[in-house]
Amino acid sequence: MIPPIIPLRDFADPASLSLETREQARCVIRAIKCHSRRWVELDFSGITSVNWEFAMKFIRLAQLEMPETWLVPKHYERNCAKLIHPLVSRLERLREEAWINGCELFSTGIDPQRKNKEKLE
């Protein structure tokens, strides 16, 4: 299955092609949630910069609303580092959790995610 690709240029300021506001972050999150997939690619083609305010709101919303969705940055430049570094760190953490859960499932036969959900109920 091909993951959906979200072109961030569609949400950028038309004049500067930058991602600056919290509202832009909310719009991107809404677009991602429409796809309801576990893996979504974020296409940074054409983005000139990412403001700290946008990056922090985006990461916060992603953690709250889509904690298990893998947001994979593509076609980015150095000028987008404020968002790329947190996204890559988040991906590394998700990959590590998936690997640990897979090892636990393989060794015990018990799905750790299912076990955690049962504890909450």
Side-chain angles (χ1 to χ4, degrees):
M1 182 184 316
I2 297 173
I5 299 171
I6 305 293
L8 295 180
R9 187 178 181 150
D10 293 350
F11 302 95
D13 177 78
S16 65
L17 292 178
S18 62
L19 297 167
E20 301 170 349
T21 67
R22 293 177 180 175
E23 184 55 36
Q24 288 171 319
R26 287 185 198 99
C27 290
V28 174
I29 293 293
R30 281 194 296 270
I32 294 169
K33 286 174 67 175
C34 288
H35 291 287
S36 66
R37 299 267 178 83
R38 185 165 164 89
W39 178 296
V40 177
E41 291 184 358
L42 302 174
D43 183 4
F44 282 82
S45 298
I47 298 297
T48 58
S49 67
V50 175
N51 182 298
W52 185 254
E53 187 176 325
F54 172 90
M56 290 302 97
K57 184 65 174 183
F58 181 84
I59 293 298
R60 198 171 309 122
L61 287 172
Q63 280 302 112
L64 287 172
E65 299 182 22
M66 304 171 300
E68 295 181 1
T69 302
W70 293 38
L71 302 172
V72 181
K74 298 285 184 179
H75 312 293
Y76 53 87
E77 302 289 330
R78 283 185 158 183
N79 52 6
C80 300
K82 288 182 180 106
L83 185 55
I84 298 302
H85 292 303
L87 280 175
V88 170
S89 295
R90 184 174 186 267
L91 269 177
E92 289 170 350
R93 182 185 50 76
L94 288 172
R95 286 179 185 145
E96 185 174 300
E97 287 174 8
W99 186 82
I100 290 169
N101 289 341
C103 288
E104 187 174 340
L105 177 61
F106 179 76
S107 64
T108 65
I110 300 170
D111 184 359
Q113 289 180 334
R114 187 173 179 187
K115 182 173 68 174
N116 291 336
K117 286 179 185 175
E118 289 173 359
K119 283 182 184 179
L120 294 174
E121 294 173 349

